[in-house]
Coordinates of all heavy atoms in Angstrom, one line a residue:
M13 N 115.3 33.7 229.0 CA 115.4 33.0 227.6 C 116.7 33.6 226.9 O 116.6 34.8 226.6 CB 114.2 33.2 226.8 CG 114.3 32.5 225.5 SD 112.7 32.2 224.8 CE 112.8 33.4 223.4
K14 N 117.7 32.9 226.8 CA 118.9 33.3 226.1 C 119.0 32.7 224.8 O 119.1 31.6 224.6 CB 120.1 32.9 227.0 CG 120.2 33.4 228.4 CD 121.3 32.9 229.1 CE 121.3 31.5 229.2 NZ 122.3 30.8 230.0
G15 N 119.0 33.7 223.8 CA 119.2 33.2 222.4 C 118.2 32.4 221.8 O 118.5 31.6 220.8
G16 N 117.0 32.2 222.4 CA 116.0 31.4 221.8 C 116.1 30.0 222.1 O 115.4 29.2 221.5
E17 N 117.0 29.6 222.9 CA 117.2 28.1 223.2 C 115.9 27.5 223.9 O 115.8 26.3 223.8 CB 118.4 27.9 224.1 CG 118.4 28.5 225.4 CD 119.8 28.6 226.0 OE1 120.8 28.6 225.2 OE2 119.9 28.8 227.2
D18 N 115.1 28.2 224.5 CA 113.9 27.7 225.1 C 112.8 27.6 224.1 O 111.8 27.0 224.4 CB 113.4 28.6 226.3 CG 114.2 28.5 227.4 OD1 114.9 27.5 227.7 OD2 114.3 29.6 228.3
F19 N 112.9 28.0 222.8 CA 111.9 27.9 221.8 C 111.5 26.4 221.6 O 110.4 26.1 221.4 CB 112.5 28.6 220.5 CG 111.5 28.4 219.4 CD1 110.3 29.3 219.4 CD2 111.6 27.5 218.3 CE1 109.5 29.0 218.3 CE2 110.7 27.4 217.4 CZ 109.6 28.1 217.3
F20 N 112.5 25.5 221.6 CA 112.3 24.1 221.3 C 111.9 23.3 222.6 O 111.7 22.1 222.5 CB 113.5 23.5 220.7 CG 113.8 24.0 219.4 CD1 115.0 24.8 219.1 CD2 113.0 23.8 218.3 CE1 115.2 25.4 217.8 CE2 113.3 24.3 217.0 CZ 114.3 25.1 216.8
R21 N 111.7 23.9 223.7 CA 111.4 23.3 224.9 C 110.1 22.5 224.8 O 109.9 21.3 225.2 CB 111.4 24.1 226.1 CG 111.2 23.4 227.4 CD 111.2 24.3 228.6 NE 112.6 24.8 228.8 CZ 113.6 24.2 229.5 NH1 113.3 23.0 230.1 NH2 114.7 24.7 229.7
P22 N 108.9 23.1 224.3 CA 107.7 22.4 224.3 C 107.6 21.3 223.2 O 108.1 21.5 222.1 CB 106.6 23.5 223.9 CG 107.4 24.8 224.1 CD 108.7 24.5 224.0
L23 N 107.2 20.2 223.6 CA 107.1 19.0 222.7 C 106.3 19.3 221.5 O 106.6 18.9 220.4 CB 106.5 17.9 223.5 CG 106.3 16.6 222.7 CD1 107.6 16.0 222.2 CD2 105.6 15.5 223.6
W24 N 105.2 20.1 221.6 CA 104.3 20.3 220.5 C 105.0 21.1 219.4 O 104.8 20.9 218.3 CB 103.0 21.0 220.9 CG 103.1 22.4 221.3 CD1 103.4 22.9 222.6 CD2 103.1 23.5 220.4 NE1 103.4 24.3 222.5 CE2 103.2 24.7 221.2 CE3 102.9 23.7 219.0 CZ2 103.2 26.0 220.7 CZ3 102.8 25.0 218.5 CH2 103.0 26.1 219.3
I25 N 105.9 22.0 219.7 CA 106.8 22.7 218.7 C 107.6 21.7 218.0 O 107.7 21.7 216.7 CB 107.5 23.8 219.3 CG1 106.5 24.9 219.7 CG2 108.6 24.4 218.3 CD1 107.2 26.1 220.4
R26 N 108.3 20.9 218.8 CA 109.3 19.9 218.1 C 108.5 18.9 217.3 O 108.9 18.6 216.2 CB 110.0 19.2 219.2 CG 111.0 20.1 219.9 CD 111.8 19.6 221.0 NE 111.0 19.3 222.2 CZ 110.9 18.3 222.9 NH1 111.5 17.2 222.6 NH2 110.1 18.2 224.0
A27 N 107.3 18.4 217.6 CA 106.6 17.5 216.9 C 106.0 18.2 215.7 O 105.9 17.5 214.6 CB 105.3 17.0 217.7
L28 N 105.7 19.4 215.8 CA 105.1 20.2 214.5 C 106.2 20.4 213.5 O 105.9 20.2 212.3 CB 104.6 21.6 215.0 CG 103.9 22.4 214.0 CD1 102.7 21.7 213.5 CD2 103.6 23.8 214.5
I29 N 107.5 20.6 213.9 CA 108.5 20.8 213.0 C 108.8 19.4 212.2 O 109.0 19.3 211.0 CB 109.8 21.2 213.7 CG1 109.6 22.6 214.1 CG2 111.0 21.1 212.7 CD1 110.6 23.1 215.0
V30 N 108.7 18.4 213.0 CA 108.9 17.0 212.4 C 107.8 16.6 211.5 O 108.0 16.1 210.3 CB 109.1 15.9 213.5 CG1 109.0 14.5 212.9 CG2 110.4 16.1 214.2
A31 N 106.6 17.0 211.9 CA 105.4 16.7 211.1 C 105.4 17.5 209.8 O 105.1 17.0 208.7 CB 104.1 17.0 211.8
A32 N 105.9 18.8 209.8 CA 106.0 19.6 208.6 C 107.0 19.0 207.6 O 106.7 18.9 206.4 CB 106.4 21.0 209.0
C33 N 108.1 18.5 208.1 CA 109.1 17.8 207.2 C 108.5 16.6 206.6 O 108.7 16.3 205.4 CB 110.4 17.5 208.0 SG 111.3 18.9 208.5
A34 N 107.8 15.8 207.4 CA 107.2 14.6 206.9 C 106.1 14.8 205.9 O 106.1 14.2 204.9 CB 106.6 13.7 208.0
G35 N 105.4 15.8 206.1 CA 104.4 16.4 205.1 C 105.0 16.8 203.8 O 104.5 16.4 202.8
W36 N 106.1 17.5 203.9 CA 106.9 17.9 202.8 C 107.3 16.8 201.9 O 107.2 16.6 200.7 CB 108.0 18.8 203.2 CG 108.9 19.3 202.1 CD1 108.6 19.5 200.7 CD2 110.3 19.6 202.1 NE1 109.6 19.9 200.1 CE2 110.7 20.1 200.9 CE3 111.2 19.6 203.2 CZ2 112.0 20.5 200.7 CZ3 112.4 20.0 202.9 CH2 112.9 20.4 201.7
A37 N 107.9 15.7 202.7 CA 108.4 14.5 202.0 C 107.2 13.8 201.3 O 107.4 13.4 200.1 CB 109.0 13.5 203.0
V38 N 106.0 13.6 201.9 CA 104.9 13.0 201.3 C 104.4 13.8 200.0 O 104.2 13.2 199.0 CB 103.8 12.8 202.3 CG1 102.5 12.3 201.6 CG2 104.2 11.8 203.4
L39 N 104.5 15.1 200.2 CA 103.9 16.0 199.1 C 104.9 15.8 197.8 O 104.4 15.6 196.7 CB 103.9 17.4 199.5 CG 103.5 18.4 198.4 CD1 102.1 18.2 198.0 CD2 103.8 19.8 198.9
E40 N 106.2 15.8 198.1 CA 107.1 15.6 197.0 C 107.0 14.2 196.4 O 107.1 14.1 195.2 CB 108.6 15.9 197.6 CG 108.8 17.3 198.0 CD 108.8 18.4 196.9 OE1 108.6 18.0 195.7 OE2 108.8 19.5 197.2
W41 N 106.8 13.2 197.2 CA 106.7 11.8 196.8 C 105.6 11.7 195.8 O 105.6 11.1 194.8 CB 106.7 10.9 198.0 CG 106.7 9.5 197.5 CD1 105.7 8.5 197.2 CD2 107.9 8.7 197.3 NE1 106.1 7.4 196.8 CE2 107.5 7.3 196.9 CE3 109.3 9.0 197.4 CZ2 108.4 6.4 196.5 CZ3 110.2 8.0 197.1 CH2 109.7 6.7 196.7
I42 N 104.4 12.2 196.3 CA 103.1 12.2 195.5 C 103.3 12.9 194.2 O 102.8 12.4 193.2 CB 101.9 12.8 196.3 CG1 101.5 11.9 197.5 CG2 100.8 13.1 195.4 CD1 100.6 12.6 198.4
N43 N 104.1 14.0 194.1 CA 104.3 14.7 192.9 C 105.4 14.2 192.0 O 105.8 14.8 191.0 CB 104.6 16.2 193.2 CG 103.4 16.9 193.7 OD1 102.3 16.7 193.2 ND2 103.5 17.8 194.6
G44 N 106.0 13.1 192.4 CA 106.9 12.4 191.6 C 108.4 12.9 191.8 O 109.2 12.6 190.9
Q45 N 108.6 13.8 192.7 CA 110.0 14.4 193.0 C 110.7 13.5 193.8 O 110.8 13.9 195.2 CB 109.8 15.8 193.4 CG 109.0 16.7 192.4 CD 109.8 16.8 191.1 OE1 111.0 16.9 191.0 NE2 109.0 16.8 190.0
T46 N 111.2 12.4 193.4 CA 111.9 11.5 194.5 C 113.1 12.1 195.2 O 113.3 11.8 196.3 CB 112.3 10.2 193.6 OG1 111.2 9.8 192.8 CG2 112.8 9.2 194.5
G47 N 113.9 12.9 194.4 CA 115.1 13.4 195.1 C 114.7 14.3 196.2 O 115.4 14.3 197.3
W48 N 113.8 15.3 195.9 CA 113.4 16.2 197.0 C 112.6 15.4 198.2 O 112.7 15.7 199.4 CB 112.4 17.2 196.5 CG 113.1 18.3 195.8 CD1 113.0 18.6 194.4 CD2 114.1 19.2 196.3 NE1 113.9 19.6 194.1 CE2 114.5 20.1 195.2 CE3 114.6 19.5 197.6 CZ2 115.4 21.0 195.3 CZ3 115.5 20.5 197.7 CH2 115.9 21.3 196.6
A49 N 111.9 14.3 197.8 CA 111.2 13.5 198.8 C 112.3 12.8 199.6 O 112.1 12.7 200.9 CB 110.4 12.5 198.1
M50 N 113.3 12.4 199.2 CA 114.5 11.7 199.9 C 115.1 12.8 200.8 O 115.5 12.6 202.0 CB 115.4 11.1 199.0 CG 114.9 9.8 198.4 SD 115.9 8.9 197.2 CE 117.5 9.5 197.5
M51 N 115.3 14.0 200.3 CA 115.9 15.1 201.2 C 115.0 15.4 202.3 O 115.5 15.6 203.5 CB 116.1 16.2 200.3 CG 117.2 16.2 199.2 SD 118.8 16.7 199.5 CE 118.6 18.3 199.7
A52 N 113.7 15.6 202.1 CA 112.8 15.9 203.2 C 112.6 14.7 204.0 O 112.5 14.9 205.2 CB 111.4 16.4 202.5
G53 N 112.7 13.6 203.5 CA 112.6 12.3 204.4 C 113.9 12.3 205.3 O 113.7 11.9 206.5
A54 N 115.0 12.6 204.8 CA 116.2 12.7 205.7 C 116.1 13.7 206.7 O 116.5 13.5 207.9 CB 117.5 13.0 204.8
A55 N 115.5 14.9 206.3 CA 115.2 15.9 207.4 C 114.3 15.5 208.4 O 114.5 15.9 209.6 CB 114.8 17.2 206.7
T56 N 113.3 14.7 208.1 CA 112.4 14.2 208.9 C 113.1 13.2 209.9 O 112.8 13.3 211.1 CB 111.2 13.4 208.2 OG1 110.5 14.3 207.3 CG2 110.2 12.9 209.2
A57 N 113.9 12.3 209.3 CA 114.7 11.4 210.2 C 115.5 12.1 211.1 O 115.6 11.7 212.3 CB 115.4 10.4 209.3
Y58 N 116.2 13.0 210.6 CA 117.1 13.8 211.5 C 116.3 14.6 212.7 O 116.7 14.6 213.8 CB 117.9 14.9 210.8 CG 118.8 15.6 211.7 CD1 119.9 15.1 212.2 CD2 118.6 17.0 211.9 CE1 120.8 15.8 213.1 CE2 119.4 17.6 212.7 CZ 120.5 17.1 213.3 OH 121.3 17.9 214.1
G59 N 115.2 15.1 212.3 CA 114.4 15.7 213.3 C 113.8 14.8 214.2 O 113.7 15.1 215.4
V60 N 113.4 13.6 213.9 CA 112.9 12.6 214.8 C 113.9 12.3 215.9 O 113.8 12.3 217.1 CB 112.5 11.4 214.1 CG1 112.2 10.2 215.1 CG2 111.1 11.6 213.4
W61 N 115.2 12.1 215.4 CA 116.3 11.8 216.2 C 116.6 13.0 217.1 O 116.7 12.8 218.4 CB 117.5 11.4 215.5 CG 118.7 11.4 216.4 CD1 119.8 12.2 216.4 CD2 119.1 10.3 217.4 NE1 120.6 11.9 217.4 CE2 120.2 10.6 217.9 CE3 118.4 9.2 217.7 CZ2 120.7 9.9 219.0 CZ3 118.9 8.5 218.7 CH2 120.1 8.8 219.4
S62 N 116.8 14.2 216.6 CA 117.3 15.3 217.4 C 116.3 16.0 218.3 O 116.6 16.4 219.3 CB 118.0 16.3 216.6 OG 117.1 16.9 215.6
F63 N 115.0 16.0 217.8 CA 113.9 16.7 218.5 C 113.2 15.7 219.4 O 112.6 16.2 220.4 CB 113.0 17.4 217.6 CG 113.6 18.6 216.9 CD1 113.2 19.0 215.6 CD2 114.4 19.4 217.6 CE1 113.7 20.1 215.0 CE2 114.9 20.6 217.1 CZ 114.6 20.9 215.8
L64 N 113.0 14.5 219.0 CA 112.1 13.5 219.9 C 112.9 12.5 220.6 O 112.5 12.2 221.7 CB 111.1 12.9 218.9 CG 110.3 13.9 218.1 CD1 109.4 13.2 217.2 CD2 109.4 14.8 219.0
I65 N 113.9 12.0 220.1 CA 114.7 11.0 220.8 C 115.7 11.4 221.7 O 115.8 11.2 222.9 CB 115.2 9.9 219.8 CG1 114.0 9.3 219.0 CG2 116.1 8.8 220.5 CD1 114.5 8.3 217.9
A66 N 116.7 12.2 221.2 CA 117.9 12.6 221.9 C 117.8 14.1 222.5 O 118.7 14.5 222.9 CB 119.1 12.6 220.9
Y67 N 116.6 14.6 222.4 CA 116.5 16.0 222.9 C 116.6 16.1 224.4 O 116.0 15.3 225.1 CB 115.2 16.7 222.6 CG 114.9 18.0 223.0 CD1 115.5 19.1 222.4 CD2 114.1 18.3 224.2 CE1 115.3 20.4 222.9 CE2 113.9 19.5 224.6 CZ 114.5 20.6 224.0 OH 114.3 21.9 224.4
E68 N 117.5 17.1 224.9 CA 117.6 17.4 226.4 C 117.4 18.9 226.5 O 118.1 19.6 225.9 CB 119.0 17.0 226.8 CG 119.2 15.4 226.8 CD 120.6 15.1 227.5 OE1 121.1 15.9 228.1 OE2 121.0 14.0 227.2
P69 N 116.4 19.2 227.3 CA 116.1 20.7 227.5 C 117.3 21.4 228.1 O 118.1 20.7 228.9 CB 114.9 20.7 228.3 CG 114.7 19.4 228.8 CD 115.5 18.4 228.0
P70 N 117.5 22.7 227.8 CA 118.6 23.4 228.4 C 118.5 23.5 229.9 O 117.3 23.5 230.4 CB 118.6 24.8 227.7 CG 117.3 24.8 227.1 CD 116.8 23.4 226.9
K71 N 119.6 23.5 230.6 CA 119.6 23.5 232.1 C 119.2 24.9 232.4 O 119.4 25.9 231.9 CB 120.9 23.3 232.6 CG 121.6 22.0 232.2 CD 121.0 21.0 233.0 CE 121.8 19.7 232.8 NZ 121.0 18.5 232.3
Q72 N 118.4 25.0 233.5 CA 117.8 26.2 234.0 C 119.0 26.8 235.0 O 119.5 26.0 235.8 CB 116.6 26.2 234.9 CG 115.4 25.7 233.9 CD 115.1 26.9 233.0 OE1 115.2 28.0 233.4 NE2 114.6 26.4 231.9
D73 N 119.2 28.1 235.0 CA 120.2 28.8 235.9 C 119.7 29.0 237.2 O 118.4 29.3 237.5 CB 120.6 30.1 235.3 CG 121.4 29.9 234.0 OD1 122.0 28.7 233.8 OD2 121.6 30.9 233.3

């Protein structure tokens, strides 16, 4: 493991990060903090794209 790049290899870790961002967005929306909800929603959308759709595990040496 070089530099922690294998940390994101398991799907459950990547899904947990996305779920945490989504939960943060919902929490902020419920509390009426629309700006923070949009920021967390954007982080969720980026996480879905980078961690679930476009993710390619690092090559093994």
Side-chain angles (χ1 to χ4, degrees):
M13 184 164 107
K14 298 180 296 185
E17 58 196 25
D18 286 338
F19 178 77
F20 293 110
R21 184 177 295 272
L23 176 62
W24 71 269
I25 290 177
R26 293 180 279 134
L28 186 65
I29 293 169
V30 171
C33 290
W36 178 28
V38 169
L39 180 68
E40 295 295 353
W41 187 269
I42 289 171
N43 287 323
Q45 300 296 321
T46 309
W48 285 112
M50 289 178 12
M51 297 263 297
T56 302
Y58 180 74
V60 167
W61 170 254
S62 63
F63 286 146
L64 303 178
I65 297 173
Y67 179 78
E68 292 183 20
K71 303 281 190 238
Q72 293 293 328
D73 292 339

